[in-house]
Amino acid sequence: MRRLLFRRTLFGLFTLWVVSLVVFLATQALPGDAAQAILGREATPERLAALREQLNLGGSLPEQYFGWLGQLLSFNLGTSLAGGTPVVSAVGPMLLNSSILMLCAAVIAIPLAIGIGTWTALRKDSAVDHVTGIITLVLASLPEFVVGVLLVLLLATGVFHLFPAVFVLVPGEQVWSNPAQLVLPVLTLVLAVSPYIIRIMRATMLEVLESQYVQQARLKGLPERTVVLRHALPNAIGPVAQVIALQLAWLIGGVVIVEFLFRFPGVGFQLIDAVTNRDLPVVQALVIVIAIFYVAVNLLADVVTLAANPKVRTAS
Amino acid sequence: MSTAAPTLEVEDLKIIGIPSMAAIVEELSLEVRPGEILGVVGESGSGKTTLGLALLNYCKEGTRLGGGKVSVAGQQLAGLNWRQVRQLRGRTVAYIPQSPASALNPALRISTQLKECLSGPAAQVLERVRQVLREVALPDDDAFLARYPHQLSGGQQQRVAIAMAFTARPALIVMDEPTTGLDVSTQAHVLATVRSMCRTYDCAAVYISHDMAVVAELADRIAVMYSGRIVEMGGTAEVLSNSRHPYTRRLLLAVPDLLAKRPMIGIPGHAPSPLARPQGCAFAPRCPLADAGCGTVAPAATEVGPRHTVRCFKSEQPLPPLQLRNPSISSAPAAGRKPVIKIEGLTAGYGSKTVLEGINLQAYAGECLALLGESGSGKTTLSRCIAGLHHNYTGDISLDNSTLAPSSFKRTKDQRRRVQYIFQNPYESLNPRRTVEELILQPVTAVRGKVSNAREIVATALERASLRPDHARRYPDQLSGGERQRVAIARSLATEPEVLICDEITSALDVSVQSTLVDLLRGLQAEMGLTLVFITHNIALVRNIAQQVAVLERGRIVEFGEVERVFADPQHHYTQSLLTATPNFQLPDRLSTP
């Protein structure tokens, strides 16, 4: 198992390296050179030279790449072109804000989805099951910004006026200082992520519930609670973990749109901002951060899947 | 036999399927006394598993109790509420499932699965678990208790399942084919364990099986099920020596004889599905004694001896003499025979793992070579090497003295035509989206291209496999298991092969069907001069079909020679142990001469 994990980690690092290569080459692919593209036609030669220096645009391609990679590895991400502040201090707080948003969504969505999935599997073909099936299908087919807009209409501006429609961060306060503001963004993400997990959980659970060992557990006279929690759930969780990982990885992409919709000060909002301002160092940093998140979440899912399988766990 | 009050009493039990409302089990009454083992014998679809589960008040999805009474240890199951049923299960009635590999939870340690059958102080529970493990001859140390099911062998898994059932000292044990899928030597151990456990606990047992030989060895009484009813029930000796129902008699004749003194004879036709059971006696369409009356009213159970009942109007009549299609083939080697398939120094494996080593074999023209071995002995790998399906081997396989390429892609079309393969499971080996006609033509067009007389080829192949011409238009799911395997045989015959490799072709099928298939193969062998390579784990079958046998143990041939000689005087201890572990099922003389 350790060897397997080690190999997966190596593979994850390899993926990150490929991402860094892609980010670097994408910068190179900008027409003319990056400095010209960023500063526009009216740039003075002095400013261009200064920016080229800052972006490591001198020297051959490999030289440029390894110079940039070295900076990346020492957390020296350069200076934001828009604000003039170091990228690390510009991205850091935003990353924290987004992490809180996603963490809230994940902590609510995962247990809820597993619970609903299991529950509908146990009540297969009942009215509850059918209704849940339809709702999850509809939610899964709606893009998250539609869900977000509908929620705003329903809970903020149209029918009820329960929560604010946009996020306003008072300077000096943290995002969690006013929890009511977090409700709609989190709810949108939960509704976007849960349907897939519910559906796969229900399908996996049904399969497990029909297995011989669940029948045997029932024939042993165990209480239904024990049958489901001890005998069925551990066997269903492995395949579901992979889907959860995919959903979490999607979250960081979905968060871009949701943050923009609610004007939430997170990485997504910042990414859009940085792209509009052609703030290249910030874009590079954010893309790398998102890639790290992707790899980490998938690695975590692999660990859970492997740990749920005693055959792998006990193999020396 | 005890005369105490019965532990289990079933009265007029009826179980129906939903939504078809067809009866799966009907008019079923039986009783089992403490310490008694009742063997329930029946073929697939006879309702025996449904009956077994009903004894624990459990209805599989799609079934429902339709009436009748079941009482265990004085408790009426129907009158119990949900909580009481839970209390009953595992404590009063325990269940040993068919396949322990799938009935033990793969994610839980065996200690967890054993301990949860009991309640009480932890130390006491653990002590009891250790005691039961010792009783089924398993280690009882902590290291063993901490194992997961996949860390146990098949035999150990089944003994854990037995231990699990006996932990709470139940009054009744229901066993559903607990030895199917186990090797004969493991099966012998498991059966001995079951017998001694039932004796130790004075526990009543219902042993469900399709294997008459096993039941005859184990059970005190036998109930024969057909189409959801018990057609005959009585003491084991009584049912074997004085069977009164035509189905029982034919079923006994279908069991292969370990000594091959009598031929095995199948029952023509197949058991009706629960959805299309005939009116009257369900066996009437296959019964040699049936008349018009049998097809209208179902016969009631009548007493024909002490605790011996039978459902038949003709229980007094003897069976008419049977027409034997093929008298036993002489097993003496013919003079001047030549090897068709010759294997020299074959070593094969998967990746770095070697599964076959130093195999030398010859199959002679027109003879049957049996490859006998337990699971994991490498017999299927060997047959796949011959067919060119497994090409990771070194050594030499030759067909008529010309060496075959390891991969079937590299063999000539004619070489491929001459060697055909029949797979184990006809439910998986036939493409469900093709008609029988298309299936049969596939290998023909593969080796000969487009043929002009396609219809003729299909007709001949169907006839050879004893199928009707109208089967050509059907799809596999419209056929019974036996018919499917015949289609697979017809498909392999369509290219006019010389060598037929049969990989456990009867193991997924019922005894009565198995016998008809073996009969068919022997006939084809004689008619077409086929050379058969017959892979099996069943010694009795080997004696009934093969002239030569190679016994495989862990990838090596430990014994090879004439069937008669090998079994009369086995040299290798492995062959000897196989022979002693196999239940020797012998019929009383009255029946054995049809």
Side-chain angles (χ1 to χ4, degrees), chain B residues 412-414 416-417 420 442-449 495:
Chain B
T412 65
K413 280 189 173 173
D414 194 54
R416 276 188 280 148
R417 176 189 68 78
Q420 290 290 319
Q442 262 179 342
V444 179
T445 44
V447 296
R448 284 170 55 190
T495 59

Side-chain angles (χ1 to χ4, degrees), chain B residues 250-266:
Chain B
R250 293 297 304 257
L251 196 60
L252 292 172
L253 290 175
V255 181
D257 178 6
L258 186 58
L259 305 178
K261 280 189 195 140
R262 62 174 171 82
M264 50 195 279
I265 307 152

Side-chain angles (χ1 to χ4, degrees), chain B residues 222-244:
Chain B
I222 292 182
V224 181
M225 277 190 85
Y226 189 80
S227 249
R229 287 185 166 94
I230 290 181
V231 293
E232 182 159 8
M233 177 160 60
T236 300
E238 176 81 357
V239 169
L240 293 184
S241 63
N242 191 19
S243 54
R244 305 295 283 272

Side-chain angles (χ1 to χ4, degrees), chain B residues 164-325:
Chain B
M164 208 149 86
F166 279 98
T167 324
R169 302 186 173 84
L172 173 70
I173 294 255
V174 179
M175 290 171 269
D176 190 357
E177 309 239 15
T179 62
T180 307
L182 296 182
D183 295 326
V184 276
S185 42
T186 320
Q187 167 175 297
H189 282 299
V190 168
L191 290 181
T193 312
V194 165
R195 204 177 298 127
S196 76
M197 291 296 271
C198 286
R199 202 162 298 151
T200 315
Y201 290 96
D202 201 24
C203 167
V206 173
Y207 188 98
I208 295 164
S209 179
H210 68 280
D211 191 340
M212 188 58 107
V214 168
V215 170
E217 233 187 39
L218 182 75
D220 301 309
R221 285 163 55 72
I222 292 182
V224 181
M225 277 190 85
Y226 189 80
S227 249
R229 287 185 166 94
I230 290 181
V231 293
E232 182 159 8
M233 177 160 60
T236 300
E238 176 81 357
V239 169
L240 293 184
S241 63
N242 191 19
S243 54
R244 305 295 283 272
H245 199 283
Y247 176 63
T248 317
R249 295 180 195 174
R250 293 297 304 257
L251 196 60
L252 292 172
L253 290 175
V255 181
D257 178 6
L258 186 58
L259 305 178
K261 280 189 195 140
R262 62 174 171 82
M264 50 195 279
I265 307 152
I267 310 176
H270 57 89
S273 96
L275 290 176
R277 282 181 184 159
Q279 240 196 340
C281 174
F283 187 62
R286 294 170 86 184
C287 180
L289 299 174
D291 59 22
C294 294
T296 49
V297 190
T302 45
E303 196 107 348
V304 289
R307 294 184 84 199
H308 185 181
T309 54
V310 66
R311 280 179 189 277
C312 182
F313 297 121
K314 314 270 180 185
S315 62
E316 302 301 321
Q317 290 182 22
L319 282 183
L322 292 166
Q323 292 288 313
L324 290 187
R325 188 170 149 191

Side-chain angles (χ1 to χ4, degrees), chain A residues 20 30 75 166 173 189 256 266 279 288 298:
Chain A
S20 77
L30 288 174
F75 286 100
V166 286
E173 275 193 0
L189 287 177
V256 174
D279 194 345
I288 294 286
N298 278 301

Side-chain angles (χ1 to χ4, degrees), chain B residues 67-143:
Chain B
K69 278 193 287 192
V70 179
S71 74
V72 181
Q75 272 182 298
Q76 288 285 344
L77 296 200
L80 301 180
N81 65 27
W82 182 235
R83 184 176 292 271
Q84 287 165 320
V85 167
R86 251 192 352 83
Q87 285 296 322
L88 175 101
R89 286 184 191 161
R91 288 159 189 79
T92 314
V93 202
Y95 184 77
I96 300 179
Q98 179 162 13
S99 141
S102 52
L104 293 177
N105 195 322
L108 297 178
R109 296 177 194 278
I110 59 165
S111 60
T112 316
Q113 303 193 46
L114 283 164
K115 282 190 221 159
E116 67 188 3
C117 311
L118 291 171
S119 45
Q124 214 174 314
V125 167
L126 186 64
E127 192 34 56
R128 172 67 187 149
V129 165
R130 287 189 205 276
Q131 185 192 351
V132 183
L133 281 179
R134 282 194 297 273
E135 281 167 356
V136 295
L138 285 174
D140 64 343
D141 53 297
D142 289 337

